[in-house]
Structure formats: structure tokens, C-alpha cells
């Protein structure tokens, strides 16, 4: 990105890594599933390409345990494999989209899979949500202050209601049995929504 645009505020959306239900095609909202080992590897690979190494390896003093809650250890660094083509996607410029010195806040869904993704992505695997959902304040270095990770209910996955844990074919069969869809018209989440969900 040109230096003249570097101060322009940006928002990056990162989806959580693979879970057992995303792998099997099941709709997941409030069911709190962990990432699979492959899901964790996906996140680490994305972090290596997206997040600059100074964020992936913050010094131990960069985490404010008072805001993160008692007993929180300094973050465990996420290996930065951006220079190793066997471990991450190529990055011809070597520049990362997310720089710690320009990060203000990371908002995270309250779901376990989202928290794990955020902690792996930003190199703070050991921290847990504390008061008011604040995980930790991270030093941006150079006297620039801190950025923080915050739980935000407004970005959680929507509720699938009766369709939680079901696959699309199972939902269509359920709806057909209840007489909800006309002949030849299968369920579409964007058009029909979810019974007792959002």
C-alpha cells in the first residue's frame, strides 16, 4: 500500500478456522465447537501472510495482564512462515496487510472458535477474555500506545434455530415435511431464514 494511504482506516474481516461442523457442512451458530488441528493450521498460515511479524512475536512485557485478568501469561508467539513457500502462500512484496503499529482494536465474536482464531492470528494464544470482554492490551511499540482485543456480541454468527447442526439437505427435508416450501422450491437461507432463528 502506498505510504500516503497508510493512515487510512481499514477493516479486515477474518473468518474462523475449520471446525468439525464446517468440515461436515453443518450449520453452526451457538454450538461452541473448537477448531480442528487443520483449522488451527489454516489460521497460522493466514497469520503468516496477513500479520506482520512484530505482532506475531510481541515481547512478554507487551501484554497487560491487569486488563486481561489474573494469571494470564504473556502471549505465545505464532511462527511467521511468510518467507517459507512450503508453509504459506507466496507474498511477493513481503509486506503484510495488518501491521501492529497501525492496529487499534480487534473485535472478536464470543464463540470459542472465533476466540481461538483471533488468539492464533495475533500471537496471543495464552490470553483469555477478561473484564468487559477485553483480552489484553498489546503495546504497539514506539510510544504509539496499545491496541486491544475485545469481545463483540454484534459480530457473532447468527442463530440457526431449529436448523442448528443440520446440513442443507436435512433442512430442506425438514421444511418439506412441515409444508413450508412450495413444490420445486428448496430452502434458501437468504430468502427463507431459519425457524426459531434469525
Amino acid at each position: 500500500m502506498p505510504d500516503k494511504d497508510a493512515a487510512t482506516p481499514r477493516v479486515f474481516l477474518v473468518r474462523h478456522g475449520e471446525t468439525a461442523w464446517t468440515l461436515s457442512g453443518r450449520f453452526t451458530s451457538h454450538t461452541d465447537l473448537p477448531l480442528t488441528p487443520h483449522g488451527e493450521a489454516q489460521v497460522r498460515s493466514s497469520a503468516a501472510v496477513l500479520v506482520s511479524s512484530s505482532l506475531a512475536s510481541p515481547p512478554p512485557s507487551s501484554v497487560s495482564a491487569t486488563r486481561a485478568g489474573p494469571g494470564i501469561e504473556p502471549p505465545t508467539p505464532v511462527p511467521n512462515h511468510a518467507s517459507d513457500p512450503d508453509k504459506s502462500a507466496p507474498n511477493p512484496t513481503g509486506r503484510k496487510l495488518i501491521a501492529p503499529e497501525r492496529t487499534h482494536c480487534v473485535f472478536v465474536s464470543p464463540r470459542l472458535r472465533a476466540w481461538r482464531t483471533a488468539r492464533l492470528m495475533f500471537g496471543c494464544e495464552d490470553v483469555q477474555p477478561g473484564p468487559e470482554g477485553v483480552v489484553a492490551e498489546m503495546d504497539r511499540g514506539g510510544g504509539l500506545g496499545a491496541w486491544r482485543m475485545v469481545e463483540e456480541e454484534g459480530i457473532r454468527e447468527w442463530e440457526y434455530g431449529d436448523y442448528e447442526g443440520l446440513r442443507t439437505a436435512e433442512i430442506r427435508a425438514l421444511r418439506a415435511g412441515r409444508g413450508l416450501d412450495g413444490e420445486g422450491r428448496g430452502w434458501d437461507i437468504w430468502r427463507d431464514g431459519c425457524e426459531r432463528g434469525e
Side-chain angles (χ1 to χ4, degrees), residues 21 31 76 143 150:
W21 282 13
T31 303
T76 301
V150 178

Side-chain angles (χ1 to χ4, degrees), residues 15-172:
R15 188 175 193 277
H16 63 78
E18 175 190 271
T19 69
W21 282 13
T22 57
L23 184 61
S24 64
R26 296 181 183 278
F27 286 87
T28 317
S29 56
H30 63 268
T31 303
D32 233 355
L33 298 171
L35 299 180
T36 64
H38 182 253
E40 292 197 3
Q42 289 173 323
V43 175
R44 286 187 175 98
S45 178
S46 295
V49 175
L50 295 174
V51 183
S52 58
S53 60
S54 57
L55 180 56
S57 302
S61 62
S62 68
V63 176
S64 169
T66 58
R67 289 297 300 274
I72 302 302
E73 294 296 318
T76 301
V78 174
N80 187 344
H81 301 298
S83 62
D84 186 343
D86 295 328
K87 295 184 179 179
S88 67
N91 182 350
T93 66
R95 297 182 78 176
K96 308 296 174 71
L97 289 174
I98 303 171
E101 66 276 8
R102 300 196 187 279
T103 301
H104 173 69
C105 194
V106 176
F107 295 101
V108 185
S109 158
R111 305 295 181 241
L112 175 67
R113 57 194 175 271
W115 274 113
R116 182 68 177 151
T117 296
R119 290 193 305 259
L120 289 171
M121 180 73 70
F122 294 101
C124 44
E125 295 181 50
D126 297 330
V127 298
Q128 300 294 326
E132 300 175 14
V134 175
V135 171
E137 291 190 348
M138 310 281 180
D139 185 359
R140 289 191 276 183
L144 295 173
W147 66 277
R148 58 196 186 124
M149 198 174 283
V150 178
E151 183 172 291
E152 174 53 58
E153 180 70 21
I155 60 171
R156 65 166 171 73
E157 292 183 67
W158 65 15
E159 295 293 331
Y160 290 111
D162 289 352
Y163 308 156
E164 180 79 2
L166 301 179
R167 295 179 181 94
T168 299
E170 295 168 321
I171 295 168
R172 288 183 174 155

